[in-house]
Protein backbone atom coordinates (compact mmCIF):
# COMPACT_ATOMS: atom_id res chain seq x y z
CA UNK A 1 0.00 0.00 0.00
CA UNK A 2 1.32 3.46 -0.91
CA UNK A 3 1.73 5.95 1.95
CA UNK A 4 -1.32 8.12 2.52
CA UNK A 5 -2.75 10.80 4.80
CA UNK A 6 -6.17 10.05 6.27
CA UNK A 7 -8.07 13.15 7.46
CA UNK A 8 -9.36 12.52 10.99
CA UNK A 9 -10.38 16.10 11.84
CA UNK A 10 -11.12 19.39 10.08
CA UNK A 11 -13.08 20.45 7.00
CA UNK A 12 -12.00 17.40 4.97
CA UNK A 13 -12.60 14.75 7.65
CA UNK A 14 -13.05 11.29 6.17
CA UNK A 15 -11.02 11.99 3.01
CA UNK A 16 -7.63 10.50 2.19
CA UNK A 17 -4.71 11.56 0.01
CA UNK A 18 -2.06 9.26 -1.42
CA UNK A 19 1.50 10.58 -0.93
CA UNK A 20 3.13 10.30 -4.37
CA UNK A 21 6.08 11.77 -6.23
CA UNK A 22 9.37 12.95 -4.79
CA UNK A 23 7.84 16.14 -3.31
CA UNK A 24 4.34 16.21 -1.83
CA UNK A 25 3.42 19.78 -0.90
CA UNK A 26 0.61 20.45 1.60
CA UNK A 27 -1.11 23.82 2.09
CA UNK A 28 -3.84 26.18 0.88
CA UNK A 29 -2.14 26.98 -2.43
CA UNK A 30 -3.39 25.64 -5.74
CA UNK A 31 0.16 24.42 -6.52
CA UNK A 32 0.01 21.93 -3.61
CA UNK A 33 -0.47 18.21 -4.17
CA UNK A 34 -2.81 18.32 -1.15
CA UNK A 35 -4.82 21.55 -1.04
CA UNK A 36 -6.35 22.23 2.38
CA UNK A 37 -9.64 24.02 2.89
CA UNK A 38 -8.25 25.46 6.14
CA UNK A 39 -7.74 29.18 6.83
CA UNK A 40 -5.16 28.33 9.53
CA UNK A 41 -2.86 26.63 7.00
CA UNK A 42 -0.24 28.58 5.04
CA UNK A 43 -0.30 28.53 1.23
CA UNK A 44 2.81 26.31 1.23
CA UNK A 45 2.70 24.85 4.73
CA UNK A 46 4.54 21.52 4.83
CA UNK A 47 6.42 19.10 2.61
CA UNK A 48 6.44 15.32 2.65
CA UNK A 49 9.43 13.76 0.90
CA UNK A 50 9.23 10.05 0.05
CA UNK A 51 12.70 8.47 0.30
CA UNK A 52 14.33 5.77 -1.85
CA UNK A 53 14.04 3.27 1.03
CA UNK A 54 10.24 3.74 1.18
CA UNK A 55 10.21 5.99 4.24
CA UNK A 56 8.64 9.48 4.21
CA UNK A 57 10.09 12.63 5.82
CA UNK A 58 7.88 15.53 7.00
CA UNK A 59 9.16 19.12 7.03
CA UNK A 60 7.51 22.42 7.98
CA UNK A 61 8.10 25.15 5.38
CA UNK A 62 8.26 28.10 7.78
CA UNK A 63 4.49 28.20 8.19
CA UNK A 64 2.84 30.85 10.35
CA UNK A 65 1.03 28.40 12.67
CA UNK A 66 3.49 25.51 12.62
CA UNK A 67 3.20 21.82 11.87
CA UNK A 68 2.67 19.33 14.69
CA UNK A 69 3.75 15.69 14.75
CA UNK A 70 2.14 13.55 17.45
CA UNK A 71 1.21 16.70 19.39
CA UNK A 72 4.70 18.23 19.31
CA UNK A 73 5.78 21.23 17.24
CA UNK A 74 7.94 20.10 14.33
CA UNK A 75 11.49 21.49 14.42
CA UNK A 76 13.38 20.24 11.38
CA UNK A 77 12.64 17.28 9.09
CA UNK A 78 11.29 14.16 10.83
CA UNK A 79 10.65 10.64 9.51
CA UNK A 80 7.05 9.45 9.65
CA UNK A 81 5.86 6.13 11.02
CA UNK A 82 2.54 4.34 10.52
CA UNK A 83 -0.05 5.78 12.90
CA UNK A 84 1.69 9.15 13.36
CA UNK A 85 -0.66 12.11 13.71
CA UNK A 86 0.05 15.33 11.82
CA UNK A 87 -1.77 18.60 12.52
CA UNK A 88 -1.69 21.55 10.14
CA UNK A 89 -4.01 24.39 11.18
CA UNK A 90 -7.36 22.84 12.08
CA UNK A 91 -6.70 19.79 9.87
CA UNK A 92 -5.47 16.58 11.43
CA UNK A 93 -4.27 13.49 9.57
CA UNK A 94 -3.05 10.01 10.37
CA UNK A 95 -0.09 8.77 8.33
CA UNK A 96 -0.71 5.28 6.96
CA UNK A 97 1.54 2.89 5.04
Amino acid sequence: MAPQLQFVNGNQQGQAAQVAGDRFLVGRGSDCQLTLADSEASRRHALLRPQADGSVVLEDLGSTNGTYLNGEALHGPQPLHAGDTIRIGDSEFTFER
Side-chain angles (χ1 to χ4, degrees):
M1 178 174 156
Q4 70 175 10
L5 297 176
Q6 177 70 46
F7 283 85
V8 294
N9 211 350
N11 292 333
Q12 293 162 281
Q13 184 174 355
Q15 297 178 22
Q18 186 172 336
V19 177
D22 37 325
R23 292 177 43 93
F24 188 83
L25 190 60
V26 180
R28 284 191 346 258
S30 61
D31 61 332
C32 294
Q33 283 72 38
L34 176 56
T35 303
L36 301 177
D38 187 332
S39 62
E40 297 297 314
S42 296
R43 279 190 303 252
R44 302 179 106 223
H45 197 104
L47 178 67
L48 284 87
R49 288 183 287 124
Q51 306 295 297
D53 66 0
S55 65
V56 177
V57 173
L58 173 65
E59 182 177 354
D60 182 79
L61 296 176
S63 65
T64 301
N65 295 319
T67 300
Y68 293 82
L69 178 60
N70 298 322
E72 300 289 325
L74 191 65
H75 300 289
Q78 292 291 319
L80 294 175
H81 303 93
D84 280 350
T85 301
I86 301 162
R87 184 169 56 83
I88 293 175
D90 291 327
S91 299
E92 192 172 339
F93 325 92
T94 299
F95 178 74
E96 299 176 357
R97 300 236 7 109

